[in-house]
Amino acid sequence: MTTSAPPTPTSPLRAWSAVFAASLSIFCAITSELMPVGLLRPMGADLEVSDGTAGLMMTVPGLVAAVSAPLVTVATGRVDRRLTLCLLIALMAVANLAVAVAPNFPVVLAARVLTGVSVGGFWAIVGGLAMRLVPEHQVGRAMAVIFGGTSAASVLGVPAGTLIGEVSGWRAAFAAVGGLALLTLLALSLLLPPLPPRRAVTFAELPSLLRRHAGVRAGVIVTFLLVTGQFTAYTFVRPVLQDVSGVAAGLISPLLLGYGLAGLAGNFLSGTREARRTLLVISLALTAVLPLLALLAHPVAGGVLVVLWGLAFGGVSVSVQNWMNQTAPESVEAASSLMVSMFCLAIAAGAVIGGFAVDGIAVGAAPAAGAVLTLLAAVTILVTRRARSGRAESAQVGRNRDTLQGEDPARV
């Protein structure tokens, strides 16, 4: 069995500069993936497709990322991680610039395929980066900083993209994120130290890890349910806020900014806490908030609920990564690739489920359906926790029995 690799020797300043570069890269990746959320309706109108069909701009990269996460992890197993991350962020730049000049919806979807390849591979590798950059006692803080880029994408990336789209058109928004990806490429190449691979992952290891490791298996299931529920609702947050809550179009960007700020706070609140308990709280909070978005038809209520929503979901990315790090420290990249694959598949599944709900029932059906899935995530966490506690209790009883059997009968 291998153990988590010690950090790559470097100065503290260089190490934390690399951590912040990784955070910027996650910011860029998540902004690229989620950009259509704030621009869904104007993009759909310009490309002459319905809201439900426009949701494919989330579905396609999600499906591709689900496949590319394990594929890229295995295929680049013997390549320096700095070089791999730089190549993936360069591909992200190409994908966003291609969307910016796409003449029609099929070309947009083709470019979003490249986004999926980049995001899936990038996230699977960067998840275990903190352990290689900083000492063990700083890993939790470094994880929170790196995955703070996810919440910052909601705070700055998606709202800024939405604002650029409203002022200059959605093509300008994608061009801007493409330029940001090029700047991120420069930061990674200058600030990351050499990161030679220390343990190559094989295709055979991935299903084997799922079969033999109950903790990884439970984490993958919880990730799928929780993230599918989230994106069943979040993919259509703009139509929900406009059509259900009655929020004016000009207020969508400020509300998404509030969502992101709350999410950033949620990320740092969750980053150093025990993953299983944190995810249970998150699942229950989302189960409470999402149905209210479908029921309370008032702009103020919609705004408050969106902020609470962001606070709850902000801790998910760092918590599911912490789950894998804590559960399988000997196989972090393999476990991370499985988690990222399921996370991305869940984004796609959520967009599909939400699309059917919106087109087949009503806009408000999307957050209601999402709440059902987050409730199932909470139930799964409770069941697996109870099972784990039962196994621990049985093991303790067995140890006590062995101890008694080994003692002097006169003393027993």
Side-chain angles (χ1 to χ4, degrees):
M1 178 183 295
T2 58
T3 57
S4 14
T8 299
T10 186
S11 70
L13 178 61
R14 178 73 184 269
W16 280 97
S17 296
V19 167
F20 281 102
S23 182
L24 175 63
S25 65
I26 281 282
F27 170 84
C28 186
I30 300 303
T31 299
S32 297
E33 186 170 20
L34 299 185
M35 184 64 73
V37 170
L39 301 170
L40 191 73
R41 186 156 281 178
M43 289 183 75
D46 191 32
L47 296 167
E48 300 180 344
V49 295
S50 70
D51 284 345
T53 301
L56 290 172
M57 291 184 290
M58 295 291 292
T59 305
V60 167
L63 289 173
V64 173
V67 175
S68 70
L71 286 181
V72 170
T73 302
V74 172
T76 64
R78 300 186 183 282
V79 180
D80 187 286
R81 282 1 216 160
R82 179 176 64 175
L83 176 59
T84 302
L85 293 175
C86 287
L87 290 174
L88 289 169
I89 208 75
L91 181 62
M92 193 179 301
V94 171
N96 283 291
L97 294 174
V99 171
V101 299
N104 52 46
F105 190 65
V107 175
V108 167
L109 288 186
R112 295 290 286 170
V113 169
L114 299 182
T115 301
V117 172
S118 175
V119 170
F122 192 93
W123 193 0
I125 294 172
V126 82
L129 210 57
M131 293 193 233
R132 298 195 60 180
L133 295 175
V134 299
E136 184 176 354
H137 68 279
Q138 296 180 341
V139 167
R141 198 183 326 156
M143 286 283 295
V145 170
I146 290 174
F147 281 94
T150 301
S151 300
S154 298
V155 174
L156 298 174
V158 174
T162 303
L163 182 60
I164 292 171
E166 290 171 353
V167 173
S168 303
W170 60 267
R171 295 181 185 278
F174 279 92
V177 79
L180 177 63
L182 293 175
L183 291 176
T184 305
L185 171 62
L186 179 63
L188 288 176
S189 62
L190 292 177
L191 298 175
L192 277 185
L195 295 167
R198 289 176 170 168
R199 184 177 184 275
V201 178
T202 65
F203 283 114
E205 180 181 353
L206 300 178
S208 171
L209 186 61
L210 274 180
R211 286 194 306 269
R212 63 184 167 80
H213 208 303
V216 171
R217 193 164 57 246
V220 165
I221 293 170
V222 169
T223 298
F224 179 76
L225 292 171
L226 188 53
V227 177
T228 301
Q230 161 71 7
F231 283 91
T232 295
Y234 188 64
T235 302
F236 301 94
V237 61
R238 183 173 183 138
V240 168
L241 288 174
Q242 288 185 261
D243 297 352
V244 178
S245 302
V247 175
L251 294 177
I252 299 298
S253 292
L255 279 182
L256 289 178
L257 176 61
Y259 171 98
L261 285 170
L264 190 59
N267 172 81
F268 283 97
L269 285 172
S270 305
T272 57
R273 299 180 185 274
E274 197 271 327
R276 191 180 297 261
R277 185 179 297 109
T278 303
L279 286 170
L280 176 61
V281 172
I282 289 171
S283 300
L284 292 174
L286 290 174
T287 301
V289 168
L290 293 180
L292 293 177
L293 266 175
L295 296 173
L296 300 181
H298 193 282
V300 174
V304 171
L305 289 169
V306 162
V307 172
L308 293 175
W309 184 3
L311 180 64
F313 191 75
V316 168
S317 297
V318 68
S319 295
V320 293
Q321 184 64 57
N322 279 338
W323 183 312
M324 294 305 168
N325 291 355
Q326 294 164 8
T327 301
E330 75 285 357
S331 305
V332 169
E333 276 202 1
S336 295
S337 71
L338 290 170
M339 180 274 291
V340 171
S341 180
M342 196 56 65
F343 200 114
C344 296
L345 182 62
I347 292 175
V352 169
I353 294 170
F356 278 119
V358 167
D359 286 349
I361 304 174
V363 169
V372 174
L373 292 161
T374 58
L375 177 59
L376 289 175
V379 171
T380 302
I381 294 168
L382 286 171
V383 169
T384 55
R385 173 182 286 180
R386 190 173 294 114
R388 187 180 66 167
S389 299
R391 286 193 299 272
E393 185 177 341
S394 297
Q396 183 61 48
V397 169
R399 286 192 295 270
N400 292 343
R401 185 174 58 247
D402 292 343
T403 300
L404 289 172
Q405 289 173 349
E407 289 181 354
D408 184 349
R411 294 179 56 197
V412 175

